[in-house]
Amino acid sequence: MRENMNDSIRRDPRRAWIARNRLHPEHLSVLAALGEIGGGGAASEWLGPNGVIRRNPHAIGFIGPKGVKRIDRSGTQQGGQAPGQGRQAAQDSRRAVTIEDPAFLVAVVPDMTGGRLSGHDRDLLGLARRLADADPARPGAVLAVIFGEHKDSTLGEAGIDRLLHLEDAAFTGFSPEARLAVLAAVEREFAPHHWLLPDSPLGGADLGRRLALSLDERPATGVWQIEADGEAPLGWRCTARGAAESLDIQRPLPRVALALAECAEPVDETRHSAEPLSLTIEPPRILSRIEDLGQVAVDPAGVALAEAEFILSGGNGVKDWDGFHHAATVLAATEGASRVAVDDGFMARDRQVGATGTWVTARVYMAVGISGAIQHLQGIQRCDKVVTINRDPGCDMIKRADLAVIGDAAEILAALVEQVEQQRAEQHGGVRRDAA
Amino acid sequence: MQPDSREIEVAVLVSVGRHPVTGRARRADQDARGVEVALTLPGARVRLLHAGPADDGSEEALRGYLGMGLDRLTRVEQPEGADVVPALAQRLAAAPPQLVIAGSRAERGEGSGLLPYALAEYLGWPLVNGLAEVEGIENGVATLLQALPRGQRRRLQVRLPAIITVDGAAPMARQSAFGPARRARLESCAEVAVMDKALGEWTLMPARKRPKRLKIIKAGSARDRFKAAAAKAEGGGGQLLTDVTPEQGAEAILKLLKEEGVLR
Ligand SMILES: Cc1cc2nc3c(=O)[nH]c(=O)nc-3n(C[C@H](O)[C@H](O)[C@H](O)COP(=O)(O)OP(=O)(O)OC[C@H]3O[C@@H](n4cnc5c(N)ncnc54)[C@H](O)[C@@H]3O)c2cc1C
């Protein structure tokens, strides 16, 4: 029987009863057997016959070095607990959900800033799940429409059941007309029950308004709350911000809704299948009246630190400041600094990152010679990727970093600058040859 | 180079704003920035258009735009609670300008930011949002700079006639001068009114403070909860390169920077 025992907890009321009954002749042997399963020590907690948790205070604890029994309630010593519990905690706790035959679709068009779901996108997907899962008898599926290349591997965890992924050069940059044509095709083919977009200036706010007008729907914008409402046409009522954030508008939820960040809790208990879908009819090619000439190089030093996308930050470990500034120029990064670098006068006060400086939101934060004091780490909580160059492999910054390179800051920065310049030269050479 | 051919007609849509603290009528911030963009555009003949009821409070606010250096403003009279899109669309279609500039969102009413999109749909014109600057207009094509988040800019070209909207990223509006504002003309004209029925059915109330999101920690024991609450932010599973030459280290960094697309 022991062989085919899996991780599920098996209750044996008779043995539990014997374990409780200290006067039972088999008491000790049963205790020992239970203890073996639990991994040392006897069972200290079990479910009694009436469904009440029973505890055996004698079974917990251990004999300390001085021969006195000690009970450690901090949770480090887990012996003697119900069998299997310790092992389960280590496992992934998400429940896999597959919706085979959805009653309806909730279409979401996430922004995918930098090819990843943003926090706003995840909140929106949480909202979509609320709409889809409201009635367990009629489960809906969440359909995400994603434009362009993406590098997010957690689409299922974010609550996406169906994924329509469109990769085409037509969707790069500012391409509302091409995207709208796809959404119109989705509408024709899948006729989603709801359309949800983030009300973010980057994309959703613009695309959502265009979509609503082309569907001839009056969208709700700035939605931050929804509640079930039997009287509303779609069964939901929403609260939306209006009049420059000074008004709350309560209205029935329309088919197209543009929601604010934190409109719902992101999905964190389930994993969905993110099954790929495709359009059977290709959306028509639209001749765009708006031409995107690409991003313009802006002076990175002029960008506010709090909203800079790429920050090169220097600390006490930077000795060659000229080299550091040169690297920032070549990488086109906005400069930041730790407090020590600021206090020592190498950087201006408004460049300080951290608790008493600026809380930055960079997508890539590169920390050079910064040890990662808690005051500094607080300031970079919201950064996506952290790269660090440091001499000390044990410092706290390394624990936070996605990529840590151990070595001398000046040498590595110089090598990086050289490689970037070399690559640029090659590219330019190539372009010139093409042009000639 | 005749001056006539370079002259372009620009209509700026202006609304009555609301001071965020006192709630008094004022020129709306985004619309004023739109007027500023139009005024700095070389060779632009700017006209201002407003649709709404004629009353004292709104007159005060509208004169705020006139004080920026314009001599007249056309007010399309509409009753309170009317949907101004049809009236504005008809007005614009009757004498179409080459460029329409509007703010992204109104400071009163629904403030959904839908009006420019509705006009674009009605007139069949392209629309560009979040404008930072008009770089120039040549041969019926406007070159624009669009403001992206994080202080970035994108250059776009759009064929005129077009609608562009401005938000907080556009340059600040100049001061409004009192004397010129008094002297300028406020013309009224009539247009059929279509009432906005849906808006009347909704419940409007002063904005409630949104609840702050709590950090929810799912943990079995008090110790885990404490650890999670007191934890430092950790990336976890980061890559650590020890004993590498500076060149190898730099290569790894370069690869990541390229993957993230921050290197141009
Ligand atoms: C109330 C309070 C508020 C604070 N607020 C802030 C804040 O907002 N922001 C902030 O940054 N700090 C703040 N601090 C200071 C913070 O505690 C640290 O002292 C500071 O962040 C450390 O800066 P650092 O990492 O640059 O220096 P150090 O801790 O000296 O770290 C230098 C690092 O560089 C490495 N190094 C040295 N030489 C080289 C080399 N040649 N190549 C590569 N690596 C090298 C070392 O291994 C070390 O890890 C605050 C402190 C207090 C008390």
Side-chain angles (χ1 to χ4, degrees):
Chain A
M1 185 198 143
R2 193 62 64 73
E3 277 89 14
N4 57 27
M5 239 184 66
N6 51 19
D7 281 347
S8 67
I9 305 167
R10 291 254 163 80
R11 212 146 46 81
D12 184 344
R14 193 182 110 84
R15 276 215 297 189
W17 175 72
I18 296 174
R20 259 179 290 138
N21 185 354
R22 269 183 294 142
L23 300 178
H24 197 282
E26 287 173 38
H27 176 67
L28 283 178
S29 63
V30 166
L31 266 195
L34 282 177
E36 230 172 79
I37 300 164
S44 64
E45 208 178 278
W46 62 91
L47 204 61
N50 297 329
V52 183
I53 298 267
R54 315 301 312 238
R55 291 203 173 86
N56 177 7
H58 301 288
I60 53 175
F62 55 95
I63 306 296
K66 297 226 172 81
V68 181
K69 180 158 178 174
R70 320 296 323 229
I71 297 177
D72 178 4
R73 297 201 191 272
S74 72
T76 23
Q77 186 229 3
Q78 300 244 319
Q81 287 215 341
Q85 240 178 34
R87 262 169 290 166
Q88 257 174 15
Q91 276 171 14
D92 179 17
S93 54
R94 281 185 188 249
R95 185 160 46 85
V97 176
T98 341
I99 296 172
E100 296 290 349
D101 197 13
F104 59 93
L105 285 177
V106 181
V108 177
V109 190
D111 276 342
M112 302 297 288
T113 323
R116 288 201 184 78
L117 288 172
S118 64
H120 194 164
D121 291 341
R122 286 177 196 279
D123 296 345
L124 193 72
L125 286 164
L127 188 74
R129 280 255 71 91
R130 274 190 65 196
L131 293 172
D133 301 339
D135 183 0
R138 284 180 72 246
V142 173
L143 162 71
V145 184
I146 290 178
F147 295 102
E149 204 184 332
H150 79 86
K151 38 189 180 242
D152 203 312
S153 54
T154 59
L155 296 177
E157 274 92 334
I160 298 173
D161 297 306
R162 304 282 188 278
L163 179 67
L164 182 61
H165 182 201
L166 298 133
E167 266 192 279
D168 192 312
F171 305 128
T172 48
F174 188 64
S175 49
E177 289 156 322
R179 291 176 186 222
L180 189 60
V182 169
L183 298 188
V186 171
E187 168 76 14
R188 276 195 300 277
E189 205 164 321
F190 301 108
H193 225 245
H194 298 276
W195 279 99
L196 296 180
L197 289 99
D199 202 352
S200 59
L202 184 59
D206 181 56
L207 192 60
R209 287 181 173 82
R210 289 176 199 264
L211 173 72
L213 280 163
S214 77
L215 301 183
D216 209 10
E217 294 279 345
R218 184 163 182 178
T221 59
V223 172
W224 61 275
Q225 201 175 42
I226 62 166
E227 289 152 302
D229 178 4
E231 284 167 23
L234 290 179
W236 295 90
R237 189 161 32 115
C238 65
T239 311
R241 278 282 142 98
E245 310 275 293
S246 66
L247 214 59
D248 268 344
I249 304 175
Q250 274 208 352
R251 53 179 289 192
L253 185 73
R255 265 191 79 210
V256 182
L258 281 71
L260 297 177
E262 301 197 1
C263 53
E265 288 298 326
V267 174
D268 65 352
E269 283 181 340
T270 50
R271 170 180 299 110
H272 295 259
S273 49
E275 217 173 279
L277 280 189
S278 55
L279 288 169
T280 48
I281 311 157
E282 278 280 304
R285 290 250 157 209
I286 299 283
L287 195 63
S288 178
R289 290 169 296 180
I290 304 168
E291 195 187 345
D292 190 341
L293 303 182
Q295 279 206 15
V296 183
V298 288
D299 178 13
V303 178
L305 197 55
E307 59 171 32
E309 185 166 38
F310 176 26
I311 297 178
L312 180 67
S313 197
N316 200 18
V318 175
K319 301 288 172 326
D320 171 19
W321 283 96
D322 289 335
F324 176 82
H325 293 310
H326 179 60
T329 318
V330 170
L331 295 173
T334 305
E335 288 184 7
S338 80
R339 176 152 171 183
V340 173
V342 170
D343 283 351
D344 292 351
F346 293 113
M347 293 288 276
R349 180 61 71 193
D350 66 351
R351 293 284 135 191
Q352 181 181 324
V353 172
T356 43
T358 307
W359 293 56
V360 297
T361 58
R363 277 209 295 122
V364 179
Y365 183 81
M366 197 158 146
V368 182
I370 295 179
S371 61
I374 181 73
Q375 294 91 352
H376 192 85
L377 289 183
Q378 273 173 353
I380 61 169
Q381 265 169 7
R382 288 173 57 202
C383 292
D384 279 352
K385 290 268 174 209
V386 176
V387 182
T388 179
I389 303 176
N390 204 305
R391 243 183 1 205
D392 170 14
C395 70
D396 278 343
M397 186 53 96
I398 301 225
K399 292 186 196 137
R400 169 68 176 86
D402 298 277
L403 172 64
V405 180
I406 306 301
D408 183 64
E411 286 175 15
I412 296 178
L413 273 186
L416 184 61
V417 165
E418 196 178 305
Q419 287 181 13
V420 171
E421 279 178 337
Q422 190 185 339
Q423 222 163 44
R424 291 227 172 108
E426 275 168 24
Q427 270 172 8
H428 276 271
V431 169
R432 232 167 272 147
R433 239 171 283 133
D434 285 353
Chain B
M1 203 171 76
Q2 309 107 312
D4 282 1
S5 68
R6 292 185 52 108
E7 207 154 80
I8 57 157
E9 287 282 336
V10 181
V12 187
L13 308 183
V14 295
S15 64
V16 177
R18 178 186 178 280
H19 192 279
V21 180
T22 62
R24 289 221 319 243
R26 59 157 192 182
R27 60 173 189 178
D29 176 61
Q30 294 181 350
D31 297 352
R33 287 175 195 255
V35 175
E36 179 68 40
V37 168
L39 288 177
T40 44
L41 198 62
R45 267 221 310 269
V46 184
R47 60 177 145 125
L48 301 182
L49 201 56
H50 168 76
D55 53 44
D56 288 349
S58 69
E59 171 151 358
E60 196 73 18
L62 294 177
R63 288 205 178 267
Y65 299 108
L66 290 169
M68 293 171 73
L70 288 137
D71 56 1
R72 68 200 161 119
L73 182 150
T74 312
R75 171 162 58 196
V76 183
E77 275 190 32
Q78 295 276 295
E80 187 75 54
D83 180 3
V84 298
V85 173
L88 281 177
Q90 273 162 26
R91 194 84 213 160
L92 287 172
Q98 281 161 291
L99 194 62
V100 175
I101 304 181
S104 303
R105 287 184 195 204
E107 295 178 1
R108 285 169 184 270
E110 192 188 351
S112 64
L114 218 57
L115 181 131
Y117 291 91
L119 285 179
E121 180 88 6
Y122 183 97
L123 298 167
W125 293 359
L127 181 144
V128 175
N129 67 326
L131 182 100
E133 195 184 325
V134 179
E135 286 192 314
I137 295 180
E138 221 159 90
N139 303 329
V141 174
T143 309
L144 315 168
L145 276 192
Q146 190 185 34
L148 299 182
R150 304 184 171 285
Q152 303 294 311
R153 297 279 183 271
R154 176 155 66 193
R155 187 168 286 133
L156 302 174
Q157 271 188 343
V158 62
R159 184 152 283 285
L160 299 182
I163 299 187
I164 56 183
T165 67
V166 293
D167 55 25
M172 282 271 278
R174 63 189 68 177
Q175 287 273 346
S176 174
F178 185 76
R182 290 286 112 195
R183 286 191 292 276
R185 264 188 305 149
L186 200 69
E187 295 167 350
S188 280
C189 68
E191 201 60 76
V192 277
V194 181
M195 293 310 285
D196 186 353
K197 283 204 213 76
L199 187 62
E201 286 162 13
W202 301 338
T203 336
L204 307 187
M205 53 197 155
R208 259 187 301 152
K209 208 167 172 188
R210 286 183 66 184
K212 205 165 175 229
R213 175 177 276 178
L214 298 175
K215 199 163 124 197
I216 299 171
I217 293 155
K218 293 205 172 101
S221 69
R223 180 171 186 265
D224 291 346
R225 278 196 297 277
F226 177 76
K227 256 172 61 183
K232 293 182 190 176
E234 278 185 20
Q239 195 189 354
L240 177 64
L241 298 180
T242 42
D243 296 328
V244 288
T245 62
E247 283 71 30
Q248 285 166 332
E251 228 166 83
I253 295 174
L254 188 61
K255 186 162 152 270
L256 185 138
L257 297 184
K258 271 205 218 138
E259 271 172 14
E260 291 301 317
V262 288
L263 213 58
R264 294 198 186 90

